[in-house]
C-alpha cells in the first residue's frame, strides 16, 4: 500500500466552472487562466479538458506557454506579463502566442522585431492596481503607435486589472471601471478587464474578453458569495486517510508544543498530510476537515508529513478512515477550500498553488 494522500482533480467540474464563466458573460469570450500549473491542478490536463471550450488560455511565462505547446495544445496562449527578455519574441512568433505589453522596453522590442505574422497584442493599462501597465495619460499615444505597426501587431486590445473587484466596498472598482470605459470609448478599443470576481459580480466589466482564473477551479473569490459563485464546483479534492488513532485523557497535549490539549477524554486521528505536502502550517485548531464525510477539525500543530484531527464525535473513525482536507467527500459533503483558507489566514490561491509535487494528481471526468 502507498501513502494515501492524493489530489483528485475533477475535470468535469473544471468544465462546469468554465461554462459558468462563459454564460455569465454571453457577449464576451473567456480566456482560461492556467498559470502556475493551472493553480496547482496541472496545466496540461486542464488545457486538454478545456480545449473544445476555451478560445484562449493565459499563462505567466514563456516556459509555461511552451510546456502547453510541447504537449500538443494548439489553443492561443496569452502571456499575461508579456516577455521578460527580448529573445523570447522568437518563441512567441514560433508558437503563435499572444502578448501583453506593459513596459516601454517591451514595445520597443516588439516594434524592432520582424515576426512571420503579426502578433495579437494586449496593451496593459494601470487603471489603479499600480502593479503593471502604462499610466492612462500615455495610453492613447501607445495605442496609436501599436495600431500603425501592422507588421508586428494585430488584434490590439486594452487590458487592465482590478484591485478590489472582490470587495463589498465598490468605490475603487468603479473608479478603475470608469477610467477604462472612458479610454476604450475614446480609442474604440476592445477590452479585457475582468478577473474571476469581476466576471462573477460586475457585468459592466465584461469586455470583448474576460480572464477568469481561480473561479475555474471552484473557489469563490468574492467577499460575499452571490448566486453565480454559489454554483461553482470544487475541482481539487485533497484526500488522505487516518493512519493512527490516539485515545487521550483530559488535559493531554497533542503534537509539537502541545498547542491543543484534550478538553475531555478524546480520540485524535493522525492523518497522512502535512506542510511537506503543501498543507498550510498556519492552520489553527478548529480548521475544518472531513473524516468519514463528517465535519471535524484540526487539533494540534500541522507537522511535515502528518496532521491531527479531533475524531471524538465520529465513533466510526479508525485507521483507514477517509479524510478530506478540502473538496468533496464520497458522501457528497463539500468542504470549501475558501473556508479552510480563512482558518489559515490566507486565500485559496496559496493553498492550491502550494500543493507540492510529492502529492500525486489523479484525474477524473472528461478526457482524464
Ligand atoms: C492571475 C490573473 C488573472 C486571474 O485572476 P483570478 O483572480 O484568479 O481570476 C487575471 N488577470 C491577470 C493579469 C492575472 O495575473
Amino acid at each position: 500500500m502507498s501513502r494515501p494522500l492524493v489530489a483528485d482533480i475533477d475535470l468535469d467540474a473544471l468544465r462546469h466552472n468554465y461554462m459558468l464563466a462563459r454564460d455569465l458573460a454571453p457577449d464576451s469570450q473567456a480566456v482560461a487562466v492556467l498559470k502556475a500549473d493551472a493553480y496547482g491542478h496541472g496545466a496540461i490536463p486542464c488545457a486538454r479538458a478545456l480545449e473544445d471550450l476555451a478560445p484562449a488560455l493565459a499563462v505567466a511565462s514563456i516556459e509555461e506557454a511552451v510546456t502547453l505547446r510541447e504537449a500538443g495544445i494548439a489553443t492561443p496562449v496569452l502571456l499575461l506579463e508579456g516577455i521578460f527578455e527580448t529573445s523570447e519574441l522568437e518563441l512567441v512568433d514560433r508558437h503563435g502566442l499572444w502578448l501583453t505589453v506593459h513596459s516601454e522596453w517591451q514595445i520597443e522590442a516588439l516594434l524592432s522585431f520582424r515576426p512571420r505574422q503579426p502578433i495579437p497584442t494586449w496593451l496593459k493599462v494601470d487603471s489603479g492596481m499600480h502593479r503593471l501597465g502604462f499610466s492612462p495619460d500615455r495610453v492613447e499615444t501607445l495605442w496609436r503607435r501599436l495600431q500603425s505597426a501592422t507588421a508586428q501587431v494585430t488584434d490590439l486590445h486594452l487590458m487592465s486589472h482590478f484591485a478590489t473587484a472582490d470587495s463589498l466596498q465598490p468605490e475603487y472598482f468603479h473608479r478603475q471601471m470608469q477610467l477604462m470605459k472612458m479610454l476604450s470609448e475614446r480609442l474604440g478599443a476592445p477590452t479585457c478587464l475582468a478577473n474571476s470576481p469581476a466576471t462573477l459580480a460586475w457585468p459592466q466589466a465584461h469586455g470583448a474578453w474576460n480572464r477568469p482564473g481561480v473561479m475555474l477551479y471552484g473557489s469563490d473569490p468574492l467577499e460575499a458569495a452571490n448566486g453565480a459563485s454559489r454554483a461553482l464546483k470544487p475541482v481539487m479534492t485533497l484526500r488522505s486517510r487516518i493512519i493512527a488513532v490516539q485515545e487521550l485523557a483530559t488535559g493531554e497535549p497533542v503534537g509539537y508544543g502541545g498547542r491543543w490539549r484534550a478538553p475531555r477524554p478524546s480520540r485524535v486521528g493522525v492523518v497522512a498530510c502535512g506542510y511537506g505536502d503543501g498543507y498550510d502550517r498556519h492552520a489553527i485548531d478548529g480548521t475544518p476537515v472531513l473524516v468519514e464525510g463528517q465535519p471535524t477539525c484540526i487539533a494540534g500543530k500541522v507537522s511535515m508529513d502528518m496532521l491531527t484531527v479531533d475524531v471524538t464525535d465520529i465513533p466510526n473513525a479508525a485507521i483507514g478512515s477517509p479524510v478530506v482536507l478540502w473538496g468533496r467527500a464520497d458522501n457528497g459533503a463539500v468542504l470549501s477550500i475558501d473556508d479552510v483558507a480563512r482558518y489559515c489566514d490566507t486565500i485559496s490561491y496559496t493553498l492550491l498553488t502550494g500543493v507540492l509535487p510529492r502529492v500525486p494528481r489523479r484525474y477524473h471526468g472528461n478526457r482524464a
Side-chain angles (χ1 to χ4, degrees), residues 40-291:
H41 294 68
I44 292 168
C46 290
R48 288 204 179 113
L50 294 174
E51 223 167 3
D52 63 328
L53 289 176
L57 311 171
V59 296
S61 70
I62 195 97
E63 289 80 7
E64 291 180 339
V66 170
T67 299
L68 292 173
R69 285 287 180 268
E70 286 176 348
I73 288 143
T75 309
V77 178
L78 170 71
L79 297 176
L80 288 164
E81 290 146 53
I83 53 169
F84 295 85
E85 49 180 89
T86 303
S87 62
E88 292 171 36
L89 286 171
E90 193 53 53
L91 287 170
V92 169
D93 188 31
R94 185 185 322 157
H95 292 295
L97 307 179
W98 298 1
L99 265 187
T100 300
V101 287
H102 63 76
S103 288
E104 300 279 353
W105 77 265
Q106 289 178 325
I107 292 183
E108 297 310 324
L110 176 59
L111 298 188
S112 320
F113 184 60
R114 292 283 164 268
R116 280 169 288 186
Q117 67 273 330
I119 298 171
T121 299
W122 295 16
L123 178 63
K124 180 99 181 229
V125 182
D126 177 11
S127 60
M129 178 77 172
H130 300 326
R131 192 176 61 179
L132 292 184
F134 294 97
S135 79
D137 58 349
R138 297 277 297 119
V139 167
E140 181 158 2
T141 310
L142 296 170
W143 177 268
R144 306 244 179 260
R145 204 165 156 224
L146 288 166
Q147 219 176 20
S148 63
T150 51
Q152 286 85 10
V153 173
T154 185
D155 212 9
L156 194 56
H157 283 68
L158 279 186
M159 177 183 180
S160 195
H161 198 62
F162 295 116
T164 64
D166 57 325
S167 168
L168 284 170
Q169 263 109 49
E171 294 76 19
Y172 201 73
F173 165 80
H174 287 302
R175 194 177 115 182
Q176 288 193 266
M177 190 62 236
Q178 210 172 356
L179 187 89
M180 290 312 300
K181 188 163 182 290
M182 190 263 292
L183 279 175
S184 71
E185 279 171 6
R186 186 186 318 149
L187 301 172
T191 59
C192 178
L193 308 177
N195 52 1
S196 295
T199 301
L200 287 162
W202 298 111
Q204 65 268 53
H206 298 169
W209 290 90
N210 296 329
R211 301 186 306 274
V214 82
M215 69 174 287
L216 303 180
Y217 309 100
S219 160
D220 179 357
L222 299 177
E223 200 178 317
N226 66 12
S229 71
R230 275 189 283 267
L232 295 167
K233 294 183 180 174
V235 175
M236 183 191 291
T237 294
L238 186 63
R239 63 172 87 246
S240 187
R241 290 187 185 274
I242 289 183
I243 60 168
V245 176
Q246 296 285 343
E247 308 273 350
L248 297 175
T250 304
E252 284 300 307
V254 171
Y256 289 114
R259 183 180 72 185
W260 188 84
R261 280 176 187 275
R264 55 179 171 162
S266 297
R267 296 172 75 233
V268 166
V270 180
V271 180
C273 178
Y275 63 77
D277 302 299
Y279 192 90
D280 196 331
R281 190 176 168 279
H282 296 99
I284 59 172
D285 292 335
T287 303
V289 176
L290 299 174
V291 175

